[in-house]
Amino acid sequence: MIRIPELSRNLPNPADRDSLAKGQALICPDKRLGAHMSSSLLAAVNAYIEDQGGGEGLFPTLVEGFNIVRSFQAMLPVRAIYRPSLCIVLQGAKEIHFGEDRLDYGAMDCLVVTIELPATGRIVEASVEAPYIGVVIDFDVAMVRDVLEQLDEPPAPVAESGHCVFVGRVDETLADCVMRLMRMTASPKSIPILYPSVMREICYWLVSGPRGGELHKLVLPKSNIERVAKAIAALHLNFARTLRVEQLAELAGMSPSSFHQHFKALTSMTPLQFQKQLRLLEARRLMVSEAANVSAAAYRVGYESVSQFSREYSREFGIAPKQDALYQQRLYNTYASRSVRTA
């Protein structure tokens, strides 16, 4: 799923933003990173951005699944599919809304996402003098499980109820891994040799850190979370089909009531809300990336009525599908169509 930035605009002050938030703000402050490592990493990322032509937007790297974002101003909310990833803010601040809940994270905080999840993110602190700068690292949850299995004393899993995303602090060991990823961008031949071991180390520091129990609960075999995750995977593969809660519950090996309860606890959405967001986000991608017209996009994502699709799309994104597609295409060309420059 392509993540397409939306139009930049000044946002309300922090107090007004908090008053607009519908959900609970979930924050987990941990030990702060040393100033030297923080400034060194920020300098390395800024140097890479300038080598790539400067400016703002999405800056891909030759390291697969490792991308950089810079913005000179706060952004309107961006709806997207968040893949399993580690999202680190180096400067500025951001927030993510999923369902009725909200997570806030700022400089040297990290957001950990363990399941593909429709969510809305926005940059809330950025300026020309101190731009928002963040890095996104995709990771394989199977690797997290493998690392956990090799620990002599794995962290005790926390209670199964709770969300599939959390925020924690970035310590020096984790920041050092990111710094080594930055060094690889200048040495492409090193990537296939060094990248797998660095990613494994990142997983190790995550599972052995203060929030290791959060990760452990999400990869436990035969847990309710794993069962719900199977249903979520089925929704991603079959979002255009009509899937009843009873079918998903049967796939998960749970009763419908238990499945619904655990699904909502994990994603902060009902299965129907989850599927609808998948459909609308895929329809947007089809219109922007494949130039599909409104009718074609609606039918391809499972709608039988174009008028119903247009109503739900406008309600979700605040703009009619055709106008939004033109708008998003312009923004994509401006902010996210950059390719990696090589020497």
Side-chain angles (χ1 to χ4, degrees):
M1 187 72 64
I2 295 175
R3 302 175 188 175
I4 305 174
E6 300 194 25
L7 183 65
S8 301
R9 183 182 300 172
N10 291 332
L11 294 173
N13 62 47
D16 292 336
R17 287 200 303 270
D18 290 342
S19 69
L20 293 172
K22 296 180 179 180
Q24 179 185 13
L26 309 171
I27 304 174
C28 177
D30 287 321
K31 182 179 178 181
R32 291 200 171 264
L33 179 69
H36 174 70
M37 174 59 77
S38 176
S39 61
S40 297
L41 181 55
L42 184 60
V45 172
N46 270 316
Y48 176 82
I49 291 173
E50 296 307 318
D51 285 344
Q52 294 295 308
E56 61 182 335
L58 177 68
F59 294 84
T61 75
L62 291 174
V63 181
E64 185 178 0
F66 178 47
N67 298 287
I68 297 167
V69 177
R70 182 164 77 175
S71 177
F72 296 138
Q73 51 195 321
M75 304 284 284
L76 282 174
V78 178
R79 289 174 176 82
I81 298 294
Y82 279 68
R83 293 173 293 184
S85 56
L86 173 68
C87 310
I88 297 176
V89 176
L90 302 180
Q91 184 170 272
K94 197 173 180 183
E95 67 183 28
I96 179 175
H97 292 253
F98 53 105
E100 299 177 351
D101 291 303
R102 188 190 83 222
L103 285 164
D104 299 306
Y105 51 116
M108 303 319 296
D109 284 334
C110 63
L111 173 77
V112 179
V113 183
T114 57
I115 290 176
E116 286 199 14
L117 180 76
T120 300
R122 67 174 178 176
I123 296 168
V124 296
E125 184 181 312
S127 67
V128 174
E129 296 76 18
Y132 169 87
I133 299 175
V135 300
V136 180
I137 304 169
D138 293 343
F139 66 81
D140 185 355
V141 176
M143 184 180 286
V144 176
R145 181 181 292 111
D146 185 56
V147 170
L148 274 166
E149 290 174 351
Q150 294 189 47
L151 294 180
D152 292 333
E153 297 182 7
V158 300
E160 281 196 24
S161 60
H163 302 301
C164 58
V165 297
F166 62 86
V167 168
R169 292 296 296 177
V170 177
D171 62 15
E172 190 164 351
T173 53
L174 189 56
D176 181 62
C177 291
V178 180
M179 180 66 86
R180 279 183 278 142
L181 290 178
M182 289 305 306
R183 294 193 189 103
M184 290 181 208
T185 64
S187 180
K189 292 182 179 180
S190 72
I191 295 171
I193 299 172
L194 301 180
Y195 177 66
S197 62
V198 174
M199 282 305 304
R200 195 170 189 82
E201 186 177 348
I202 287 173
C203 291
Y204 172 81
W205 294 123
L206 288 174
V207 301
S208 62
R211 304 305 296 272
E214 294 280 356
L215 281 169
H216 196 175
K217 76 169 184 180
L218 293 166
V219 298
L220 282 173
K222 299 181 181 180
S223 65
N224 287 328
I225 292 173
E226 186 192 41
R227 294 187 181 102
V228 171
K230 288 181 180 178
I232 288 175
L235 281 171
H236 277 283
L237 291 173
N238 303 283
F239 60 83
R241 293 175 50 198
T242 299
L243 295 173
R244 296 179 293 106
V245 172
E246 290 78 9
Q247 291 175 287
L248 294 169
E250 183 178 1
L251 178 64
M254 304 169 70
S255 70
S257 60
S258 177
F259 171 77
H260 193 279
Q261 176 187 348
H262 284 90
F263 192 102
K264 183 73 178 291
L266 192 63
T267 68
S268 197
M269 286 173 270
T270 66
L272 181 60
Q273 291 169 332
F274 193 101
Q275 184 180 45
K276 182 183 293 185
Q277 290 201 30
L278 290 179
R279 285 180 170 181
L280 294 176
L281 285 166
E282 174 63 9
R284 172 188 267 182
R285 189 196 68 81
L286 291 170
M287 291 186 292
V288 172
S289 301
E290 300 184 17
N293 61 34
V294 174
S295 297
Y299 293 133
R300 284 178 64 179
V301 300
Y303 280 87
E304 297 180 358
S305 166
V306 176
S307 60
Q308 180 187 358
F309 166 76
S310 296
R311 286 195 304 271
E312 294 189 357
Y313 191 102
S314 300
R315 189 180 304 120
E316 181 70 20
F317 296 119
I319 186 172
K322 185 175 181 178
Q323 286 77 17
D324 184 49
L326 294 172
Y327 169 62
Q328 295 295 329
Q329 183 63 64
R330 289 195 299 270
L331 292 169
Y332 176 75
N333 291 336
T334 301
Y335 292 104
S337 60
R338 187 181 286 106
S339 58
V340 180
R341 291 186 181 183
T342 56

